[in-house]
Amino acid sequence: MPLIAVNFKAYPESMGDSGLHLARLCESVGEERGLSFIVCPQQPDLRFIAENVRIPVFAQHVDAYEPGSRTGHVVPEAVKASGARGTLINHSEHRVQIFGIDWLVEKCGSLNLDTIVCTNNISVSKACAALNPTYVAVEPPELIGGDISVTTANPEIVSGTVEAIKRIAPQVKVLCGAGVKTGEDVRVAIELGTEGVLLASGVVKAKDPKKALYELVKEV
Amino acid sequence: MPLIAVNFKAYPESMGDSGLHLARLCESVGEERGLSFIVCPQQPDLRFIAENVRIPVFAQHVDAYEPGSRTGHVVPEAVKASGARGTLINHSEHRVQIFGIDWLVEKCGSLNLDTIVCTNNISVSKACAALNPTYVAVEPPELIGGDISVTTANPEIVSGTVEAIKRIAPQVKVLCGAGVKTGEDVRVAIELGTEGVLLASGVVKAKDPKKALYELVKEV
Amino acid sequence: MPLIAVNFKAYPESMGDSGLHLARLCESVGEERGLSFIVCPQQPDLRFIAENVRIPVFAQHVDAYEPGSRTGHVVPEAVKASGARGTLINHSEHRVQIFGIDWLVEKCGSLNLDTIVCTNNISVSKACAALNPTYVAVEPPELIGGDISVTTANPEIVSGTVEAIKRIAPQVKVLCGAGVKTGEDVRVAIELGTEGVLLASGVVKAKDPKKALYELVKEV
Amino acid sequence: MPLIAVNFKAYPESMGDSGLHLARLCESVGEERGLSFIVCPQQPDLRFIAENVRIPVFAQHVDAYEPGSRTGHVVPEAVKASGARGTLINHSEHRVQIFGIDWLVEKCGSLNLDTIVCTNNISVSKACAALNPTYVAVEPPELIGGDISVTTANPEIVSGTVEAIKRIAPQVKVLCGAGVKTGEDVRVAIELGTEGVLLASGVVKAKDPKKALYELVKEV
C-alpha cells in the first residue's frame, strides 16, 4: 500500500481551517481507496489538526534541542505531545546540520516518532540512510514546485537512491518527491522501488484539491 | 492595568494539555484580579490554545517570510489564522536579523498582530523602537531564567530603556523581563515606567504555578 | 572629499592576485585624483592586501564573537591583526542579528576599527544609527548588482536616511550604494547629503576596472 | 607517516604574525622529524601564511557558494586562489548543513582541494564518509579543548569510526581529535587505525608551543 505524504508548507491554502479541511480530504480519499496518507500541517495547527483526523499527522520541521529555555523552537517532545506521529527533517526549504539530523533521528526514535529525512541527491541519500531514519525522501530541489515530476525528469535519482540505500541500510524506506502530481507519477515511483511519494503544491495549490487527490491515487 | 506576558518556552511543563491548563490558570487569575495576561504557547499548540482561552495568545516566534514554499516556517499569516493576536520577535533564544525584525513589525502591523520585540540592552532597545513595534521588552540575557529580577539587579537598564524610547518613539510601550518572579518585581517594573513584564520560568517552572501567579499579581 | 568604498564580494575577478591588482588600481586612482578609497577584499586575502597597499582595507564581514574556540569565524581582533582598518557589517548578503550588530559596533570601536553597517531602508537605517557605528550604508537590496543606481531609482531613500540619521545620531556618517557606476551617481550621492558610496560590481565586474574607476570619480 | 593537522581557531595566540610564527614552528618540527603537518590559519591570514610556509595550509571553513555576490563569504575558489591546499568542513564550532557538506566535498575535489570533514560520533562519521571526502576527523565535542584525549577517554569512537568507514568508503582516511596533547595520544591514534590527529589548543594555547610540538611527535 503506497504512502502519500502531503506537505502543507506555508501556503495560504493550508492554514488553519483550510488546513483542517485539506487534512480531512486526505483522510476520506485514503479511507475510500485503501491508501496511506500522512499530512504535514503548518506548525501552529499541529495539535489542532492531529486532534481532528484519524490519519497520521507529521510536523514539517523539528528543532534539535532538548526541552527547556528554547523560545520559539519546536522540540521533538512538543511534536509528540501534539499528537503527531512523526516529522519531516531537513526539507530543502529548512535545511539542518548533519549533527542535528543525527541527533533528531535518534531522539525521535526514542519517542516513537517516525522520521522522514529529505535529501537532494543519491550521495546525500546514502549519507542520511547511514543515520537510520524511518524514511529517506529524495527530492531534487530544482524540480520542487515545478510541473515535471522527478519520476519523469530524473528517474535515475530515484532508482539510484533505492539501490544505494538497500546496500547501506536496507531497513530504511524510500520516498520520492518534487513535481509529483499525477497517478502515473505515483505508480512509477512505486515501480522504481519507493514506498510512496512526498508532495505539496500538486495537491495544496490545486484548483480542486479533492480532484487532485483522486487523480493522484487513480493508478494505485 | 499592568500587562503580564507569560512565555511558555519549550518547557515540558507547558506542552500540549499542560500548556492549555496553564493558559487557563492565567486567564482565571487575570479575570479574578482585573489584570491583563498574554500567553505565548509552544508553536504546535498555538491554534489549540487560542481556541480555548479568552485571553490574548501570542506566538513565541515568527519567520520573516511571505506565505508560500517555506516548509517548517511559521509566517505571520499563519499566526493570524491560528487565532493568535500577536507574537514575540527576537527573543534572546531565537534572535532575528535586523532586516527581519523590520519586515516582521511592518507585516504584523498590516495583519493587526501586536509585536513584542525583545532586546538585551538600552542601545538595542532604542534601535528596535525605531522600527515601531507595539512593545519593546528589555531582558538582559544573563538574568534570564535566574533568581534575581532585572528590576533588582539592573533597574537602570529598565528606566534607561523607558527614557530612551520615550525620546525616540514615544508610542512604543515598554516591558521588562528576566528573573521576574514576585509581586514586588512587577510593582517595581511599573514604577520604573514599563507597562508590565515578560516572564517564563518564574511561572511555568514553579512547583505550584497557580500560587506563583497569585504571588506575581499581589501588589498590583 | 567623497569616500568610495569598493566591496570585492566573492567575485572571481577580485580573488588573490587579481584582488591585489584591483586594490592597487583604487590606490593609484585615489592618489591621482585626491579621493578617499576603501577596499574590502575577500577574507583570505585580508592581510595579504592590507600589507601591500596604503589605502584603508576593510573586512567584508566579521563575526560577533570573542577570540577563542571559534573555528572558521573571523573575530574583530583578527581583522585588526590583519592590518585592516575597519569592516562592513550586516551586508544584505551576510545579514546579522541585531544583538550582534550592537556588540560588533562597540567591540570594533574599542579596537579602533571603523564600522560600516549596511541597511536596506530608512527605518533600518534609523535603527542602526541608534547603535552608533561610524557609517550607515543604505542599499536597497533589489537594486544591488543592477544597472540603475539608487541615486536615480530611489533618491528619496538616500535623502530620507540622511535626514533621519541627522535627527537621531548626527555623528553617524551616511553612504549609499546599489547600482552605483557613474560619476554622476557619485556626484548625486554627495548632493543628497552622503559622504560617499559603497559599490561592488560596477568596478569589480567592469570589463576595464581602471576605466570604470576613472569614470566613477570624474565628477568629483 | 602520521599527519598532524593544527587548527589555529580564533585564538589570540594564532592571529597575524603570531600565526605565521606558529606555522613556521610546525614546518620546522615537521621537517626535522620527517612528519606531515597541516596548518589551518585564521581566514584573514590564509594567503599571508600560505605564501610563507612550505607545509600545506588549509582553511578552517569554507562556504557552500559559487563565486559571486556573496559578501563576506569564503568560497572554495578563493581558498584555492590563496594558495591553500584544502579545508576543514563542518567543525563542531562551525557546523554545516548536509547539503552543503556534499556540495563542498564535490566542488573542492574538482578544484583539487583536500577536505577534512569533522564529525562527532560514529554514525555521523559513516554518513560523512558516504560523501567521499579526503578525510573524516572524528572529534567528540565534549572533549574538544579539554585535558583528556579522545584516545584515552573514548578509544572506541576512534576504532569504531575507522571500522565503519572501512566498510562504507575504504578510500576515506580517518583522523581523530579532541584533547590531543601528548606523544602517546598521537601514537595511540595511529594504533587505532587513523592516519593522524587534528588538534588545536594543545599546541596553540601551550605556554611553549615549540615544546608542545616536540612532545607531540616524540613517539612517532
Side-chain angles (χ1 to χ4, degrees):
Chain A
M1 193 169 65
L3 176 67
I4 297 177
V6 183
N7 176 4
F8 287 14
K9 296 200 176 180
Y11 294 129
E13 294 84 353
S14 61
M15 280 173 192
D17 292 324
S18 309
L20 179 57
H21 178 72
L22 191 59
R24 283 180 168 153
L25 273 183
C26 293
E27 180 182 61
S28 69
V29 173
E31 292 181 350
E32 187 190 319
R33 301 292 308 269
L35 281 165
S36 288
F37 271 91
I38 287 172
V39 288
C40 310
Q42 299 189 32
Q43 302 283 35
D45 301 325
L46 208 56
R47 164 86 188 235
F48 167 65
I49 291 183
E51 280 208 322
N52 285 294
V53 295
R54 287 174 301 271
I55 52 174
V57 168
F58 276 43
Q60 291 179 22
H61 172 77
V62 61
D63 292 300
Y65 293 124
E66 294 287 356
S69 296
R70 295 291 184 183
T71 298
H73 294 281
V74 177
V75 298
E77 286 80 356
V79 169
K80 181 78 180 180
S82 77
R85 307 255 284 272
T87 184
L88 302 183
I89 294 174
N90 196 44
H91 190 278
S92 181
E93 294 156 13
H94 210 318
R95 302 178 183 196
V96 175
Q97 299 162 356
I98 189 166
F99 289 13
I101 301 176
D102 177 58
W103 189 91
L104 284 168
V105 164
E106 189 171 333
K107 168 66 84 173
C108 289
S110 77
L111 295 169
N112 207 20
L113 288 171
D114 282 347
T115 47
I116 299 175
V117 175
C118 301
T119 64
N120 57 331
N121 62 28
I122 297 176
S123 61
V124 172
S125 296
K126 248 162 66 177
C128 289
L131 303 175
N132 203 26
T134 322
Y135 298 92
V136 160
V138 63
E139 298 193 298
E142 68 279 11
L143 300 175
I144 293 179
D147 282 329
I148 302 172
S149 168
V150 61
T151 51
T152 304
N154 195 348
E156 298 77 17
I157 206 177
V158 180
S159 53
T161 293
V162 168
E163 204 180 309
I165 290 184
K166 222 161 253 170
R167 269 202 308 274
I168 222 175
Q171 73 288 0
V172 175
K173 291 175 259 184
V174 179
L175 303 176
C176 69
V180 172
K181 278 198 179 65
T182 70
E184 201 196 333
D185 297 341
V186 177
R187 182 178 50 76
V188 176
I190 302 298
E191 290 169 5
L192 291 167
T194 70
E195 309 280 324
V197 296
L198 173 61
L199 72 139
S201 61
V203 165
V204 186
K205 303 288 284 184
K207 258 187 223 167
D208 182 343
K210 194 172 182 175
K211 207 174 135 189
L213 283 167
Y214 278 114
E215 161 61 30
L216 208 56
V217 302
K218 75 174 178 204
E219 302 199 18
V220 289
Chain B
M1 193 169 65
L3 176 67
I4 296 178
V6 183
N7 175 5
F8 285 14
K9 296 198 175 182
Y11 294 129
E13 293 84 354
S14 61
M15 280 172 192
D17 292 324
S18 309
L20 178 58
H21 179 72
L22 191 59
R24 284 181 167 152
L25 274 184
C26 293
E27 179 181 61
S28 70
V29 172
E31 292 181 350
E32 188 189 320
R33 302 292 308 270
L35 281 165
S36 288
F37 271 91
I38 287 172
V39 288
C40 310
Q42 299 189 30
Q43 302 284 35
D45 302 325
L46 208 55
R47 165 84 187 236
F48 168 66
I49 291 183
E51 280 208 322
N52 285 293
V53 294
R54 287 174 302 272
I55 52 175
V57 168
F58 276 44
Q60 291 179 23
H61 172 77
V62 62
D63 292 300
Y65 292 124
E66 295 286 355
S69 295
R70 295 292 183 182
T71 298
H73 293 281
V74 177
V75 298
E77 285 81 355
V79 169
K80 182 76 181 182
S82 77
R85 307 254 285 273
T87 184
L88 301 182
I89 293 173
N90 195 45
H91 189 278
S92 180
E93 294 155 14
H94 210 318
R95 302 178 183 194
V96 176
Q97 299 163 355
I98 191 166
F99 288 13
I101 301 176
D102 177 57
W103 189 90
L104 284 167
V105 164
E106 189 171 333
K107 167 67 83 173
C108 288
S110 77
L111 296 169
N112 207 18
L113 288 170
D114 281 347
T115 47
I116 300 176
V117 175
C118 300
T119 64
N120 58 331
N121 62 28
I122 298 174
S123 61
V124 172
S125 296
K126 248 162 65 177
C128 289
L131 303 175
N132 203 26
T134 322
Y135 298 92
V136 161
V138 64
E139 298 192 299
E142 68 279 12
L143 300 175
I144 292 179
D147 282 329
I148 302 172
S149 167
V150 61
T151 51
T152 304
N154 195 347
E156 298 76 18
I157 206 178
V158 180
S159 52
T161 292
V162 168
E163 205 179 309
I165 290 183
K166 223 161 254 171
R167 269 202 307 273
I168 223 175
Q171 73 287 2
V172 175
K173 290 176 259 183
V174 180
L175 303 176
C176 70
V180 173
K181 277 196 179 68
T182 70
E184 200 195 334
D185 297 340
V186 177
R187 182 180 48 76
V188 176
I190 302 298
E191 290 170 6
L192 290 167
T194 70
E195 310 282 322
V197 296
L198 172 62
L199 74 138
S201 61
V203 165
V204 185
K205 305 286 286 184
K207 259 186 222 168
D208 182 344
K210 193 173 182 175
K211 207 174 134 189
L213 283 167
Y214 278 114
E215 162 60 28
L216 208 56
V217 303
K218 75 174 178 202
E219 301 200 18
V220 288
Chain C
M1 193 168 65
L3 176 68
I4 297 177
V6 183
N7 175 4
F8 286 14
K9 296 199 174 181
Y11 294 130
E13 294 84 354
S14 61
M15 280 173 192
D17 292 325
S18 309
L20 178 58
H21 178 72
L22 190 58
R24 283 181 169 152
L25 273 184
C26 293
E27 179 182 63
S28 70
V29 172
E31 290 181 351
E32 187 190 319
R33 302 290 308 269
L35 282 164
S36 288
F37 271 92
I38 287 173
V39 287
C40 310
Q42 299 189 31
Q43 302 283 35
D45 301 324
L46 208 55
R47 164 85 187 234
F48 167 66
I49 291 183
E51 280 207 323
N52 284 295
V53 295
R54 287 174 301 271
I55 52 175
V57 168
F58 277 44
Q60 291 179 22
H61 172 77
V62 61
D63 292 300
Y65 291 125
E66 294 287 355
S69 296
R70 296 291 183 184
T71 299
H73 293 281
V74 177
V75 298
E77 285 80 355
V79 169
K80 182 77 182 180
S82 76
R85 306 253 285 272
T87 184
L88 301 182
I89 294 174
N90 196 45
H91 189 278
S92 181
E93 294 156 13
H94 211 318
R95 301 177 183 196
V96 175
Q97 299 162 356
I98 189 165
F99 288 13
I101 301 176
D102 177 58
W103 189 90
L104 283 168
V105 163
E106 188 170 333
K107 168 66 83 173
C108 288
S110 77
L111 295 168
N112 208 18
L113 288 170
D114 282 346
T115 47
I116 300 176
V117 176
C118 301
T119 64
N120 57 331
N121 62 29
I122 297 175
S123 61
V124 172
S125 296
K126 248 161 67 174
C128 288
L131 303 176
N132 203 24
T134 322
Y135 298 92
V136 161
V138 64
E139 297 193 299
E142 68 278 11
L143 301 175
I144 292 179
D147 282 329
I148 303 172
S149 168
V150 61
T151 50
T152 304
N154 195 349
E156 298 76 17
I157 206 178
V158 180
S159 53
T161 292
V162 168
E163 204 179 311
I165 290 183
K166 222 161 254 172
R167 269 203 307 273
I168 222 175
Q171 73 286 3
V172 175
K173 290 176 258 184
V174 180
L175 303 176
C176 70
V180 172
K181 277 197 179 66
T182 69
E184 199 194 336
D185 297 340
V186 178
R187 183 179 49 75
V188 175
I190 302 298
E191 290 169 5
L192 290 167
T194 70
E195 309 281 323
V197 296
L198 173 61
L199 74 138
S201 60
V203 165
V204 185
K205 304 286 286 182
K207 258 187 223 169
D208 182 343
K210 193 172 183 175
K211 206 172 135 190
L213 283 167
Y214 278 115
E215 161 59 29
L216 208 55
V217 302
K218 75 173 178 204
E219 302 201 17
V220 288
Chain D
M1 192 169 66
L3 176 67
I4 297 177
V6 183
N7 175 4
F8 285 14
K9 295 199 175 181
Y11 293 129
E13 293 84 354
S14 60
M15 280 172 191
D17 292 324
S18 310
L20 179 57
H21 178 72
L22 190 59
R24 283 181 168 151
L25 272 184
C26 293
E27 178 181 62
S28 70
V29 173
E31 290 180 351
E32 187 190 319
R33 302 291 308 270
L35 281 165
S36 288
F37 271 92
I38 288 172
V39 287
C40 310
Q42 299 189 30
Q43 302 283 34
D45 301 325
L46 208 55
R47 164 86 187 235
F48 167 66
I49 291 183
E51 280 208 322
N52 285 293
V53 295
R54 286 174 302 271
I55 53 175
V57 167
F58 276 44
Q60 291 179 23
H61 172 77
V62 61
D63 292 300
Y65 292 125
E66 295 286 356
S69 295
R70 296 291 184 183
T71 299
H73 294 282
V74 177
V75 298
E77 286 79 355
V79 169
K80 181 77 181 180
S82 77
R85 307 254 284 273
T87 184
L88 302 182
I89 293 174
N90 195 45
H91 190 277
S92 181
E93 293 155 14
H94 211 317
R95 302 177 183 196
V96 175
Q97 300 163 354
I98 189 165
F99 288 12
I101 301 176
D102 177 58
W103 189 90
L104 284 167
V105 164
E106 189 171 331
K107 167 67 83 173
C108 288
S110 77
L111 296 169
N112 207 19
L113 288 170
D114 282 347
T115 47
I116 300 176
V117 175
C118 300
T119 64
N120 57 332
N121 62 29
I122 297 176
S123 60
V124 172
S125 296
K126 249 162 65 177
C128 289
L131 303 176
N132 203 24
T134 321
Y135 299 92
V136 160
V138 63
E139 298 193 299
E142 67 280 10
L143 300 175
I144 293 179
D147 282 329
I148 303 172
S149 167
V150 60
T151 51
T152 304
N154 196 347
E156 298 76 17
I157 206 177
V158 180
S159 52
T161 292
V162 168
E163 205 180 309
I165 290 183
K166 222 161 254 172
R167 269 202 307 275
I168 223 175
Q171 72 288 3
V172 175
K173 291 176 257 183
V174 179
L175 303 176
C176 70
V180 172
K181 278 197 178 64
T182 70
E184 200 196 334
D185 298 339
V186 178
R187 181 178 51 75
V188 175
I190 303 297
E191 290 169 5
L192 290 168
T194 71
E195 310 280 325
V197 296
L198 172 62
L199 74 138
S201 61
V203 165
V204 185
K205 304 286 285 183
K207 258 186 224 168
D208 182 343
K210 193 172 183 176
K211 207 173 134 191
L213 283 167
Y214 278 114
E215 163 60 31
L216 208 56
V217 302
K218 76 175 178 201
E219 302 199 18
V220 288

